[in-house]
Amino acid sequence: MSAPAADSLLALPGPLNARARTLTASVRRRITELAEIESPSGDAERLNLLAEELMAGYRATGAEARRVPGAAGDHLLLQWPGQDESLPHLLFVGHHDTVWPAGTLADWPVEEHDGVLSGPGVLDMKAGLALLEGAFALLGDLGLRPHRTVRVVLTADEEVGSPDGRRVVERQLPGAAAVLGLEPPHQDGSLKTARRGSTRVRLTVTGHEAHAGSHPEDGTSAVDELVDQLVAVREELGHQPGTELNTGRIRGGTRANVVAGQAEAELGLRFATPEAEASTLDTLAHLTALRPGALVRTEVLSSRPAWVERSGHNLLLRHLRALASALGQQLDGSPAGGAGDTNLAGARGLPTLDGLGAVGAGAHARDERIMLDQLAPRLALLAGLLAVPLPRLRARPQPPAGGTPVGPGADPLRTI
């Protein structure tokens, strides 16, 4: 942490921690309120209902809020003024859709037991949304404002790869001092310093229908072709390092006595590097039918680039680690397997960290949960991050040979 940032924090740890503990109960209630508004990806009516609830909460903490129309639910764009609005903005990204279908609450309600809050979407990521709201409320209670302008983008389609929300995030990246994600951290609470790329691909096969008993020779089974294609793809990709494949959904055919004329599969692909992504997508783009009369087509549904961990010191992580230490916390970071909207920033080389949401486990599973005793520390950390100046987060430009640095890059402790 730079000297200005450290000095700014000297008087804050006690009040931040004390107020965070006081606010924990209200944040816990807010998480429950948000989780009880079901918001599955693609359900625009439910997503927009939640968007209105979120805007009301954030506006109460001083945000300007507006909805950005989306194809399957509106995205949210929020902004809070800072003490020094001449500084580059701090950008948070998150989402308000979940993987859980409407009606899940009927047999899996949000419940608290033994210091754990469980329920659909509590970890990924209703808790992160409530914590950010609580952090701004905490600052307001202490008579503080963010050090710089803060912008937040909440996408409505992150769980399906942000096919529409990506544009909203990317519009806020230029000029950002740093980008921070509200996804849950690693299970031990450490932040995410890199993420694999992810792409969803639809593999569609067209065959020719025929009577399966009387004239099967007149047909070409799209289902058989799809099965063979998936086996071949899995074998091929198994030899490409840095690529993982999950066949997430298959459907096709009509009846057992009809040779299937249509079949399709949705593939989830993960990439460790941009090179692995390019190689894999090239392989899929050049698939050819294995039997006469079949037609095979691939279509990219959504894509996020690989965010590869940079060599050298992670200055943003170092800043968060020092901030956490001043608050009596231990914090570290490491790469993560999953992808998210922070990939869009990290892949561009912007100072980026993810995992600032609630500590817990079981995302996308029936044991999804958060640890309630970790809400106050996370709340204090987020509030401190908003209030304290950022240090320089990018490498200082090298001066010309034989010369000396000039301009703002000359001071290695200058905040941005």
Side-chain angles (χ1 to χ4, degrees), residues 17 53 72 101 152 222 240 301 324 340 361 403:
N17 284 328
E53 177 64 26
V152 178
Q240 295 191 16
L301 301 175

Side-chain angles (χ1 to χ4, degrees), residues 59-389:
R59 280 172 173 158
T61 70
E64 298 176 7
R66 66 182 178 92
R67 282 164 51 175
V68 180
D74 291 351
H75 317 289
L76 292 184
L77 183 58
L78 314 165
Q79 181 166 305
W80 286 259
Q83 298 174 40
D84 187 344
E85 296 189 33
S86 69
L87 296 172
H89 64 279
L90 183 64
L91 178 64
F92 283 85
V93 296
H95 61 91
H96 57 293
D97 63 324
T98 75
V99 300
W100 301 104
T104 302
L105 285 169
D107 64 350
W108 182 26
V110 180
E111 293 182 329
E112 181 180 340
H113 182 70
D114 292 337
V116 170
L117 186 70
S118 66
V122 293
L123 179 69
D124 190 11
M125 58 179 294
K126 303 295 177 69
L129 303 179
L131 280 168
L132 185 66
E133 182 183 309
F136 280 104
L138 192 161
L139 290 186
D141 289 348
L142 296 179
L144 300 173
R145 293 171 57 194
H147 180 253
R148 65 181 65 229
T149 297
V150 178
R151 297 181 193 172
V152 178
V153 175
L154 303 181
T155 58
D157 56 358
E158 190 276 341
E159 294 292 6
V160 291
S162 302
D164 185 65
R166 175 174 180 158
R167 64 183 172 88
V168 186
V169 175
E170 289 181 330
R171 286 174 185 167
Q172 303 304 319
L173 296 180
V179 181
L180 300 153
L182 295 168
E183 295 284 357
H186 293 289
Q187 195 165 338
D188 64 357
S190 59
L191 302 182
K192 297 174 178 179
T193 60
R195 283 182 171 277
R196 286 180 295 176
S198 70
T199 296
R200 291 186 306 125
V201 171
R202 179 186 292 130
L203 180 58
T204 303
V205 177
T206 302
H208 183 72
E209 293 180 340
H211 194 293
S214 301
H215 300 286
E217 69 281 0
D218 292 341
T220 301
S221 173
V223 168
D224 288 348
E225 177 70 22
L226 177 63
V227 170
D228 291 344
Q229 287 286 346
L230 290 174
V231 171
V233 165
R234 183 169 294 280
E235 175 68 21
E236 175 68 21
L237 297 187
H239 299 296
Q240 295 191 16
T243 295
E244 295 181 8
L245 166 68
N246 177 60
T247 304
R249 182 178 59 81
I250 297 177
R251 66 182 179 186
T254 55
R255 298 173 178 270
N257 61 351
V258 178
V259 176
Q262 293 287 333
E264 66 176 45
E266 185 174 318
L267 310 180
L269 296 151
R270 306 280 179 172
F271 309 105
T273 65
E275 293 76 18
E277 177 180 14
S279 176
T280 298
L281 294 183
D282 182 69
T283 296
L284 293 175
H286 291 89
L287 294 179
T288 57
L290 302 174
R291 49 180 49 78
L295 177 65
V296 179
R297 183 169 63 93
T298 56
E299 176 188 4
V300 174
L301 301 175
S302 64
S303 182
R304 295 191 185 101
W307 163 22
V308 181
E309 190 163 36
R310 306 294 174 180
S311 59
H313 296 295
N314 186 326
L315 300 180
L316 183 56
L317 178 61
R318 186 167 70 180
H319 173 65
L320 266 292
R321 189 186 290 124
L323 180 59
S325 179
L327 293 166
Q329 305 176 28
Q330 289 188 330
L331 188 68
D332 212 334
S334 62
D341 287 335
T342 46
N343 283 58
L344 304 174
R348 297 187 181 196
L350 293 173
T352 306
L353 284 175
D354 207 340
L356 283 156
V359 179
H364 298 191
R366 274 276 178 161
D367 62 345
E368 183 174 358
R369 61 202 185 275
I370 62 171
M371 311 304 295
L372 293 175
D373 65 351
Q374 295 303 305
L375 289 179
R378 215 43 149 201
L379 191 57
L381 181 66
L382 279 168
L385 176 60
L386 295 170
V388 171

